[in-house]
Amino acid sequence: MLEKKQGGNFSGENVIAEFDRLTRDAANVQRETLRRILAENGAAEYLQGLGLAGRTDPGSFRACVPLATHADFEPYINRIVDGDATPVLTGKPVTSISLSSGTTQGKRKYLLFNDELVKSTMQIYRTSYAFRNREFPVENGKALQFIYSSRQFTTKGGLTATTATTNVYRSEAFKATMRDVQSQCCSPDEVIFGADFAQSLYCHLLCGLLRAGEVQMVSATFAHSVVLAFQTFERVWEELCADIRRGELSPIRVTSPAVRQAVSALLAGPNPELADAVARKCAGLSNWYGVIPALWPNAKYVYGIMTGSMEHYVKKLRHYAGGLPLIAAEYGASEGWIGANVEPAVPPECATFTVLPDIGYFEFIPLRRSSPDDACCCHGEAEPVGLTDVAVGEHYEVVMTTFAGLYRYRLGDVVQVAGFHNATPKLKFVCRRNLMLSINIDKNSEQDLQLAVDTAAAKFLAVEKLEVVDYTSHADMSSDPAHYVIFFELNAAATDVAADVLQGCCDELDRSFADPGRSGAISPLELRVLQRGTFQKVLRHYLAMGSPVSQFKSPRCVARSNAGVLQILAGNTAKVFFSAAYD
Ligand code: AMP
């Protein structure tokens, strides 16, 4: 997606001033937000049954309403999906359904979507943009955004269902905000939205090259999409140059007639000078280092979610971005938004998210760690505390009450309080709570896994100029005792890598996990090296399930229930190693 930047009605100072006001008065704003949520939805059947009797204060709310998970809301949501138009979870009738990514379990969750979620999305976008623009101002120009919407379908009850991002992209409020913040979209976007992913990506890249001098920023919802875009660019750049030279779109790469028509209009005839310039720049790069600033010399930064499961891609992104700043995007979920990154100059690895106190009512379940090194293996739970009562340095599970029918909903994310911005906390995303490799009493989080992979890669792969392109894990309960399986896709064929290098990685991974010295309850770790392109197959599998590429997160831990992904991994295993670390 190529968008014009600037030129609208956007006033960053006003947005920052309002954010300042809200965050200074966070405790009162939270009370007022809860009052509004309960007043608007007091008629909902779910709340009616809990004895609130019209009370909207936090004390009564916590006393009457239980903590809940998606499973608790599912029967209510299913009734709405099937056409129950009575106030089940919200006061106003629901018009759309959102689907979460369903990365781990292979099952997508249904959630309610309404105008309030659109409004809070715009508020988050405007807030992040205001802070970003203060630090890294963009001039008149365009944004090269690798964003994709997914297909919609109609539920049995006649509601449209799609991803939360697609619901947002299709809303009038989104288009108006883009006009204010970034002026209008370039003409082919609407058409590109409907095309298949590979064609869309090819066209995004082509449009970006055609308007190279105007591009002020490069972004995607998730860092993975930017990395994927430039991995694809490495393969197709010569075809892109050929298309620009001829002034004609490749009939093999782009087949959709509507997309061909829209993008051909932008090509507007042969342009051998531009094709030569792009080819010269590409040929001058060493291993594609700094390709983004080389092709888009006026880009000010690269922007997208780079935290949590996206952290793995930051290294590759930095390679493509050369010296351009990488800015971590905001924190939220299909369920609702949580916080904005208001310190854009902080490197993504240290990014925090400042909670907006008026977009939902937030509580935090304190989590006790067994040791200070234990990132998110948290035991024992205490009573949830309010937004302004959290303590710096402590870990919590996020609980949210939203304008879209979720009450005291356990999101399942673990965050750490990094500090405060005025009276509202700055959160560091730590991990998904249920994303744990666990066999015995050991519990390894997403973050533990990433650390283990990084350590093994640094010790054994870096010297051989090898990289882990992507990875995932699985707790194999079928062996006795059970064992961990780690899957690596490398930037080289498994057959071209010396066995002792991979055996070293396998042993190192095993040593990194809990269960020191092996208690006997877990058998040796298994490393499976996958054929190249396996994670592209995993991506296609999710796309076939209806997930859009912009919401895709490589599953870092594949549950037993996720048979589709396990089958792909099994069918593409090139080499298998078992740890000898404790032999
Ligand atoms: P989805 O199911 O697609 O709505 O994904 C929502 C989940 O993505 C959140 O609950 C987080 O676990 C993760 N997520 C979203 N934003 C961020 C972020 N900025 N950093 C880390 N993880 C995030």
Side-chain angles (χ1 to χ4, degrees):
M1 187 177 187
L2 205 56
E3 287 172 344
K4 269 192 195 158
K5 297 288 304 167
Q6 292 287 71
N9 308 317
F10 184 74
S11 162
E13 293 76 40
N14 290 351
V15 172
I16 291 173
E18 175 62 3
F19 178 79
D20 211 45
R21 186 188 71 74
L22 291 170
T23 53
R24 274 185 201 290
D25 196 23
N28 285 326
V29 173
Q30 276 284 275
R31 260 192 298 280
E32 171 58 16
T33 305
L34 179 64
R35 190 202 62 72
R36 276 180 51 219
I37 293 173
L38 296 179
E40 281 177 26
N41 301 296
E45 179 188 320
Y46 183 85
L47 291 176
Q48 286 279 316
L50 295 172
L52 270 169
R55 286 169 298 168
T56 61
D57 61 288
S60 306
F61 178 65
R62 290 185 198 187
C64 296
V65 180
L67 290 170
T69 64
H70 189 266
D72 299 308
F73 288 105
E74 206 166 15
Y76 296 89
I77 295 175
N78 287 346
R79 277 172 47 202
I80 299 168
V81 167
D82 290 346
D84 189 337
T86 62
V88 178
L89 284 168
T90 53
K92 286 191 210 144
V94 172
T95 51
S96 316
I97 296 293
S98 281
L99 288 120
S100 75
S101 55
T103 305
T104 315
Q105 306 295 332
K107 185 174 163 240
R108 304 182 72 192
K109 286 183 293 198
Y110 283 88
L111 295 156
L112 308 185
F113 187 86
N114 61 14
D115 288 346
E116 289 289 343
L117 285 182
V118 177
K119 261 193 249 164
S120 58
T121 307
M122 297 313 117
Q123 190 185 346
I124 280 269
Y125 282 4
R126 283 168 182 269
T127 306
S128 297
Y129 183 73
F131 281 93
R132 222 157 68 226
N133 213 37
R134 188 167 71 171
E135 202 103 25
F136 302 101
V138 294
E139 290 145 24
N140 270 341
K142 291 185 186 295
L144 175 59
Q145 296 189 288
F146 297 97
I147 59 174
Y148 311 85
S149 69
S150 62
R151 294 190 206 297
Q152 286 180 315
F153 66 91
T154 305
T155 69
K156 192 169 135 197
L159 299 176
T160 52
T162 185
T163 57
T165 40
T166 306
N167 273 322
V168 168
Y169 297 154
R170 292 191 184 274
S171 69
E172 279 311 311
F174 176 75
K175 290 171 190 163
T177 300
M178 287 299 121
R179 271 195 297 276
D180 279 359
V181 175
Q182 306 177 337
S183 196
Q184 306 127 334
C185 295
C186 193
S187 54
D189 294 339
E190 283 295 324
V191 189
I192 289 178
F193 269 173
D196 100 321
F197 162 64
Q199 295 189 50
S200 303
L201 175 51
Y202 189 85
C203 292
H204 280 312
L205 290 166
L206 185 67
C207 293
L209 293 176
L210 291 173
R211 303 291 165 91
E214 295 168 64
V215 169
Q216 294 281 313
M217 62 176 266
V218 174
S219 78
T221 310
F222 288 108
H224 172 262
S225 299
V226 184
V227 168
L228 191 63
F230 288 97
Q231 281 167 339
T232 306
F233 184 79
E234 288 186 32
R235 288 196 305 275
V236 303
W237 69 277
E238 281 161 308
E239 290 172 64
L240 289 165
C241 286
D243 288 3
I244 296 171
R245 186 178 306 284
R246 280 196 321 271
E248 233 176 74
L249 212 47
S250 155
I252 298 161
R253 290 284 175 195
V254 187
T255 53
S256 153
V259 176
R260 287 191 67 79
Q261 193 186 5
V263 179
S264 298
L266 283 180
L267 261 171
N271 192 342
E273 296 80 25
L274 178 61
D276 284 344
V278 173
R280 229 184 359 261
K281 284 177 184 166
C282 290
L285 295 171
S286 165
N287 198 21
W288 299 100
Y289 177 82
V291 58
I292 299 176
L295 295 176
W296 293 285
N298 297 319
K300 306 288 187 298
Y301 52 82
V302 178
Y303 179 66
I305 292 177
M306 298 175 194
T307 37
S309 59
M310 292 296 130
E311 214 170 302
H312 175 68
Y313 307 106
V314 169
K315 198 166 155 223
K316 193 77 188 168
L317 204 53
R318 218 167 245 139
H319 181 83
Y320 288 134
L324 272 188
L326 301 182
I327 305 183
E330 42 279 314
Y331 171 34
S334 306
E335 287 86 343
W337 285 102
I338 297 152
N341 176 6
V342 301
E343 294 166 326
V346 169
E349 291 87 344
C350 306
T352 61
F353 306 98
T354 303
V355 181
L356 271 69
D358 64 334
I359 52 174
Y361 179 72
F362 297 98
E363 294 168 78
F364 295 85
I365 302 175
L367 300 172
R368 197 160 37 81
R369 288 176 290 159
S370 36
S371 78
D373 303 331
D374 196 358
C376 72
C377 300
C378 314
H379 313 284
E381 288 172 8
E383 275 300 297
V385 297
L387 179 73
T388 52
D389 301 321
V390 292
V392 174
E394 293 304 317
H395 285 66
Y396 299 91
E397 181 183 341
V398 177
V399 174
M400 56 208 291
T401 295
T402 72
F403 285 94
L406 297 174
Y407 306 96
R408 307 196 85 202
Y409 175 91
R410 295 178 67 154
L411 183 61
D413 284 353
V414 178
V415 294
Q416 185 181 26
V417 178
F420 276 83
H421 179 103
N422 294 329
T424 192
K426 297 195 290 186
L427 306 177
K428 187 159 172 43
F429 180 88
V430 177
C431 61
R432 294 279 311 161
R433 196 164 183 205
N434 62 0
L435 247 186
M436 288 200 184
L437 263 184
S438 176
I439 285 178
N440 189 20
I441 49 162
D442 58 301
K443 284 189 176 53
N444 295 292
S445 72
E446 195 177 353
Q447 213 179 38
D448 298 324
L449 176 63
Q450 193 198 319
L451 270 173
V453 171
D454 286 351
T455 310
K459 276 197 180 166
F460 293 91
L461 301 179
V463 279
E464 308 286 329
K465 297 220 170 349
L466 292 166
E467 283 168 25
V468 179
V469 172
D470 230 325
Y471 65 92
T472 190
S473 65
H474 173 64
D476 185 347
M477 302 304 204
S478 64
S479 63
D480 189 21
H483 71 292
Y484 296 131
V485 188
I486 309 294
F487 300 86
F488 271 12
E489 180 180 329
L490 302 175
N491 60 340
T495 42
D496 294 343
V497 183
D500 60 330
V501 170
L502 296 172
Q503 185 64 53
C505 271
C506 181
D507 297 353
E508 184 62 35
L509 286 167
D510 202 9
R511 275 192 289 268
S512 302
F513 284 110
D515 195 25
R518 180 154 299 121
S519 61
I522 304 176
S523 46
L525 179 141
E526 180 180 349
L527 172 65
R528 294 194 182 196
V529 186
L530 301 165
Q531 283 162 12
R532 295 200 70 187
T534 304
F535 278 91
Q536 291 270 348
K537 291 184 189 166
V538 172
L539 166 65
R540 280 201 290 275
H541 167 79
Y542 280 105
L543 298 189
M545 269 172 42
S547 303
V549 69
S550 52
Q551 208 185 16
F552 176 74
K553 310 168 198 71
S554 278
R556 294 291 176 232
C557 174
V558 184
R560 235 181 322 169
S561 56
N562 200 345
V565 171
L566 284 178
Q567 232 166 31
I568 295 171
L569 297 173
N572 287 276
T573 298
K575 277 191 175 179
V576 179
F577 296 85
F578 284 93
S579 162
Y582 298 108
D583 283 357

